[in-house]
Amino acid sequence: MGPHPAVAAIRLAVRRVLHDVLNEFAERTDHNDHIAHTERASRPEFAEAGTGRCGAALADRPALPERPETPLVLVACSGGADSMALASALAFEARKLAVRAGGITVDHNLQDGSAVRAAEVVARLRDMHLDPVEAVAVHVGSEGGPEAAARDARYAALDAAAERHGAAAVLLGHTRDDQAETVLLGLARGSGIRSLSGMAAASGPAGRYRRPFLQLDRQTARKACLVQSLPVWDDPHNIDPAYTRSRLRHEGLPALEKALGKGVVGALARTAQLSRDDADALDTWAAEADSAVRDDAGQLECAKLYALPPAVRRRVLRRAAVEAGAPAGSLFARHIEEVDRLITGWRGQQAINLPGRVEARRQGGRLVIRQS
């Protein structure tokens, strides 16, 4: 008799991601080995094999550092049902594949007893035979609001842990329900198609972050924990109406399902994927158009920008603003719309101030975007 359907589903989702990680690891290893071999062959001391003075010189050279034979995959685990289900699936599948599995839990220090809970999560991950396992305490600031600040602190800690341990990937437990909530939040902000595309299955530096559960609902993960007798912690922040996502989860989505019927979550998740495909295509178009709308000095030409379709032009403007130093996370649609009016509604207006002390100004038929 096989595992419970919920357990089988989470394991299959993780297995697919681990196969992707293994294939990418093998490709990188082969590529690096080829480069090392080429560089080695080009060095004079390797021109002739054998002994003698050259051989003695080689013997004195320090050995090249050993590379890991198997990739390390970490799971980011809060102790909640989604991440505990993910950790259990990683532990199970890693034993069957050439993958090392570890875990990281982030203590945000936002609740009493958070350090104790972090220690409990570490103990549970070690009981699953994950290694390395560690808890990382962070300080959550206030910039961007409490939810954004906590997210920024968490990802910074996960980035540092991945670099410290040399991890090939970090698994995150976001589910289809989380994806639906993200799409609705993007819709409410009016930030365009990229916000509607939700979370990517792979994101971060070199695709570091992987989300195996984006096609699975939250109940599947919780059921998998239940049938495996995995203890889970329900974060009280997830039901606190002070947080936007909490209100959306417990009030907004149920109201939509009551009005529109079941299937809203799945429809929103499909919208995310379709939007992502469209956004990726437009980003590619904008990247190709960028050089065509610049003069010989690299300045953006307003007439050429005006000729672009609006969706492509705004992407070119956003790219230019980020390159000039505007933080991508603080650059909203309303900022780009104001810059766009320097192209489409020019009436001699003053420079547009953007986040990061960046300003956009129209001068002599050129659009100048730079830090002030």
Side-chain angles (χ1 to χ4, degrees), residues 5 9 48 65 92 123 170 172 190 206 239 277 300 324:
E48 295 182 6
F92 181 85
V170 179
L172 305 176
I239 58 173
D277 291 343
L300 292 166

Side-chain angles (χ1 to χ4, degrees), residues 208-260:
R208 167 179 292 160
Y209 295 108
R210 309 297 174 103
R211 299 176 174 86
F213 290 174
L214 285 183
Q215 302 302 318
L216 300 178
D217 60 35
R218 192 173 287 139
Q219 282 304 114
T220 297
R222 185 167 288 276
K223 185 66 175 179
C225 289
L226 179 63
V227 299
Q228 295 179 100
S229 299
L230 294 175
V232 299
W233 173 63
D234 290 317
D235 187 346
H237 283 174
N238 290 336
I239 58 173
D240 188 342
Y243 295 96
T244 304
R245 188 178 285 269
S246 174
R247 295 195 302 273
L248 181 60
R249 179 174 302 177
H250 298 287
E251 300 173 23
L253 270 173
L256 282 175
E257 290 191 335
K258 182 178 180 180
L260 303 176

Side-chain angles (χ1 to χ4, degrees), residues 100-112:
R100 294 176 293 135
I104 302 293
T105 187
V106 178
D107 175 11
H108 296 84
N109 284 302
L110 294 176
Q111 301 171 27
D112 292 338

Side-chain angles (χ1 to χ4, degrees), residues 70-82:
T70 56
L72 170 65
V73 176
L74 300 174
V75 58
C77 186
S78 66
D82 301 341

